[in-house]
Amino acid sequence: MEIAHSLQQIKSSYIREILIAAADKNIISLAGGLPDAKTFPLDLMKATFKKLTDMPEVFQYDATIGYAPLLKYLSHYYQLAPTHIAMICTGSQQGLDLIARAYINPNDCIIMEAPSYLGAMQVFGLVQANIQTISTTHDGPNVSELEDAFIKHNPKMFYGVPDFHNPTGICWSLETRQQVAKLCIQYDVTFIEDAPYRELRFTGEPLPMVSHFCADNAIVLRSFSKIASPGLRIAAVTAKKSYLEPLLKIKQGADLHSSVPIQALLLDLLQHPDFPEHIKTIQSLYKKRYHVLFSELKKQLPEGCELKPVDGGMFIWLSLPPCDTFALAKTLIKNGVAVVPSPVFYPHPENTPSALRLNFTNANSSELREAVSRLCRVLNATLISTQ
Ligand SMILES: Cc1ncc(COP(=O)(O)O)c(C=O)c1O
């Protein structure tokens, strides 16, 4: 049977291939975006696991929008305006998929930063969006390019990850946040604010979300994958009610609703008195690992490689002199370290800048040190021989 035209354009995920290779225990993986499984707050969830067996009601079908007590808690926690609502999704990846299917017709334009989150490129690719990109600076998207793109392409949406961007780790400055919000209002473009890493700040103070400055022009995706556990598959999407109603229709057809026992479990976890301490623990663990990775790289990287510090999240973006990053990633696998090459993060991967995405949350400090020495040995050999 012939597969749908929309799917024929989607290339198989290189990350998936790399992750399969990286499962080999001799390879240290800096490739995935995985939180450290040892930090999952299972102890904080133990009592609820038991309690659930006395709650048959959460094992029944429930409302598509989500488990009412969780929605009530989140509306209060996010201080949603009376015009705004929350809905629960099976991970923010599902939220993105629902947004794409609810709003994008083939060839409708959506603007993204380049590089950008691969999973967002996939869902917008599947609905055959016309994806246009703008470049990023150390402070976030280039706002003058963004305005030009709004004028030229009349897009429906601008998708962004303002807090510790995947893959670059960049955190947008306050000024950029305000300017982006202003442009979205001025040109009536909806800002899709994807914020799975927001709570993983380990340096400096949190900045207001972009949607704080353009609440009526924004849909916000808040994932619990990085602060609780990705296997729970729970995220919240918030926006004004009229924006979310079409998503609810599609979700009903997709999976009726997300798992109710898991929503009940998450609610208890979020309300657990020790949950804030859990967040602090992962922040300081990831900070320590980030410093190991960053300082070792600084010491050992060959000339021509560039590294920007980050204040949180899970990734460092290592810029390289022009080279074949796919070939480099394959050589690195053979030398016991997995990384992700930059072209996979670009919707139009031709002639993209050479770089590698490095994750620092899933390997421990000694593995990170060993990974850096393997990485730099290969970089020294390859980059010097190609110069
Ligand atoms: C930017 C971004 N958005 C969304 C997701 C998907 O998150 P979830 O596990 O909530 O589906 C990820 C996962 O890594 C991500 O990096």
Side-chain angles (χ1 to χ4, degrees), residues 33 90-94 96 117 120 159 161 164-166 194-197 221-226 230 233-235 314-315 357:
T90 305
S92 48
Q93 190 64 33
Q94 185 186 46
L96 281 170
Y117 169 52
Y159 167 81
V161 184
F164 317 119
H165 181 253
N166 178 1
D194 192 3
Y197 304 103
L221 298 143
R222 329 262 314 224
S223 171
F224 298 101
S225 291
K226 314 300 181 187
R233 304 308 305 129
I234 300 290
M314 293 189 157
F315 307 108
R357 187 190 75 175

Side-chain angles (χ1 to χ4, degrees), residues 74 77-80 160-164 171-182 185 191-199 201 205-216 218-223 236-239:
L74 292 177
Y77 186 73
Y78 297 143
Q79 298 183 320
L80 296 183
V161 184
D163 288 290
F164 317 119
C171 183
W172 299 10
S173 69
L174 178 61
E175 200 189 354
T176 302
R177 288 167 194 251
Q178 288 166 326
Q179 287 172 334
V180 167
K182 194 167 157 232
I185 295 170
F191 182 58
I192 311 299
E193 180 156 29
D194 192 3
Y197 304 103
R198 183 166 168 81
E199 289 81 7
R201 175 182 280 281
E205 292 302 313
L207 293 168
M209 298 184 85
V210 177
S211 48
H212 173 79
F213 302 110
C214 59
D216 285 343
I219 302 180
V220 184
L221 298 143
R222 329 262 314 224
S223 171
V237 183
T238 62

Side-chain angles (χ1 to χ4, degrees), residues 245-285:
E245 274 162 355
L247 272 66
L248 286 167
K249 271 195 202 157
I250 299 182
K251 181 164 168 70
Q252 195 167 27
D255 64 357
L256 297 180
H257 57 73
S258 300
S259 162
V260 192
I262 298 297
Q263 293 182 64
L265 181 69
L266 179 73
L267 174 62
D268 272 11
L269 176 66
L270 298 176
Q271 292 177 308
H272 196 292
D274 294 341
F275 189 65
E277 201 50 44
H278 160 72
I279 304 269
K280 280 193 198 145
T281 307
I282 52 178
Q283 286 166 338
S284 64
L285 178 70

Side-chain angles (χ1 to χ4, degrees), residues 62-63 65-75 86 88 260 263-264 267:
D62 200 4
I65 192 164
Y67 178 56
L70 177 61
L71 290 172
K72 190 172 164 204
Y73 174 83
L74 292 177
S75 300
I88 302 302
V260 192
Q263 293 182 64
L267 174 62

Side-chain angles (χ1 to χ4, degrees), residues 342-364:
S342 51
V344 305
F345 300 108
Y346 289 81
H348 312 290
E350 309 74 31
N351 304 321
T352 49
S354 300
L356 301 175
R357 187 190 75 175
L358 309 178
N359 167 269
F360 53 80
T361 58
N362 195 37
N364 65 32

